[in-house]
Amino acid sequence: MSEYKASRAMAAPPGQVFDEAADPRTMERWLPRELHIEAQRPPAVTVSHGADAERERALLRVERDRLRLEWGTRDSGRYAGWLQVTGGASGTSEVTVHLAFSDPATAPPAWQVETELRQSLDRLADQVRLRTRHPA
């Protein structure tokens, strides 16, 4: 099993950060660019990686009371992950994302996963910053 973890501080309260991370309408704005999610009957979703990629059944659980998202492939067990938001000092938050790939031979290269994790957290921070400046 290959596992990866990344964290990033964000200048907003935990609930606000979680709401942005868990919003299915805006989730693709911060996820890796090649990852696409289609909501079905929650927690069921379909994911695809890239424009021509095969669609795969997955689960996405939103645990608002714990400020936690959990996901994973349903049939293959190929990958799973979670996102956790915790409170920091003075109304800030920390977001941690963990990914696990069951078969290291079919997992993306480590450098790619680590880069996409950092970029995704940066995009989420940008989305949170935009939302705090311009609330809906």
Side-chain angles (χ1 to χ4, degrees):
M1 180 172 288
S2 300
E3 296 188 64
Y4 304 90
K5 191 162 135 179
S7 297
R8 189 181 193 296
M10 300 197 186
Q16 190 171 4
V17 172
F18 184 80
D19 288 346
E20 188 65 31
D23 187 341
R25 297 169 300 168
T26 60
M27 200 174 271
E28 286 191 11
R29 293 180 190 165
W30 67 267
L31 289 172
R33 296 293 188 208
E34 294 296 312
L35 183 65
H36 303 285
I37 296 176
E38 294 175 39
Q40 296 171 334
R41 299 172 109 183
V45 297
T46 301
V47 296
S48 59
H49 302 270
D52 298 327
E54 187 173 316
R55 295 165 30 140
E56 188 168 9
R57 292 175 358 130
L59 294 173
L60 174 65
R61 286 187 201 91
V62 177
E63 297 182 35
R64 176 76 172 94
D65 59 325
R66 295 179 54 210
L67 301 178
R68 185 175 177 93
L69 295 174
E70 295 180 353
W71 60 86
T73 52
R74 287 167 51 185
D75 301 321
S76 68
R78 194 167 59 92
Y79 69 88
W82 52 261
L83 175 144
Q84 181 73 53
V85 181
T86 56
S90 303
T92 63
S93 302
E94 179 151 7
V95 179
T96 301
V97 178
H98 176 270
L99 294 177
F101 296 89
S102 60
D103 181 3
T106 61
W111 66 266
Q112 182 180 355
V113 175
E114 292 164 355
T115 299
E116 287 182 1
L117 279 173
R118 279 192 311 277
Q119 290 173 344
S120 292
L121 287 170
D122 288 346
R123 284 192 298 271
L124 178 57
D126 290 343
Q127 285 301 118
V128 168
R129 194 170 19 260
L130 286 171
R131 177 76 53 104
T132 57
R133 287 187 188 147
H134 307 287

